[in-house]
Amino acid sequence: MYKKSLLALAVCLATSSAAFASTELVTNGSFDSNANGWALSGDTSFTGVSNGSYHFGSIGSDAYLTQLLSTTSGGQYVLSFDLWSNNANGAHFGATFGGQSVYTTQNAAFGVTHFSFNVSASGNSTALVFNGFNQPKIGRAHV
């Protein structure tokens, strides 16, 4: 029997230039409206939304959570999320912005941790992608 474990996610991406007021670019980054605004792919068999977090619980292969964002080429942004993992064995999580890896972790258990990264867009449309895999038991991320 597999113990359902989670990797949950909630996302914030805002402009970081002094010329712009801080503007949230991610639709439904708090997952208040389930996964509306996000494209789900990969192994989504044990994934879902609960308590304002997206939970990655895939066990066969990665689950992907993707959103295409309207950005400005050369624009500077701040990507932030909270992540928690309860699985130090056989689990991983990754975040990419415009195809560039921003964060990865593997086989690590830790409490809720806030992550924040400065990122830049290379075009007017940028993919924000989170992926997770759980060999039963991962954690949750709130981005």
Side-chain angles (χ1 to χ4, degrees):
M1 175 170 75
Y2 292 113
K3 180 177 180 182
K4 185 177 178 183
S5 40
L6 309 169
L7 176 63
L9 180 66
V11 182
C12 177
L13 180 75
T15 56
S16 65
S17 171
F20 298 99
S22 182
T23 304
E24 175 63 49
L25 300 179
V26 174
T27 300
N28 192 28
S30 62
F31 298 98
D32 290 334
S33 301
N34 292 315
N36 293 337
W38 294 91
L40 310 175
S41 61
D43 179 2
T44 59
S45 55
F46 291 100
T47 62
V49 176
S50 174
N51 299 320
S53 295
Y54 187 83
H55 304 276
F56 289 90
S58 58
I59 58 173
S61 62
D62 280 17
Y64 295 88
L65 187 63
T66 304
Q67 193 168 128
L68 198 56
L69 306 171
S70 293
T71 55
T72 301
S73 184
Q76 301 296 306
Y77 302 91
V78 176
L79 170 63
S80 62
F81 58 89
D82 294 329
L83 180 66
W84 170 77
S85 174
N86 65 356
N87 190 358
N89 252 341
H92 65 255
F93 172 82
T96 62
F97 182 80
Q100 300 297 310
S101 179
V102 175
Y103 176 79
T104 60
T105 187
Q106 185 166 344
N107 300 331
F110 51 89
V112 176
T113 304
H114 181 76
F115 295 91
S116 185
F117 303 94
N118 293 320
V119 295
S120 56
S122 60
N124 293 328
S125 183
T126 304
L128 174 62
V129 180
F130 295 97
N131 67 290
F133 174 81
N134 176 33
Q135 193 55 36
K137 200 172 167 175
I138 186 146
R140 68 175 207 200
H142 180 81
V143 182

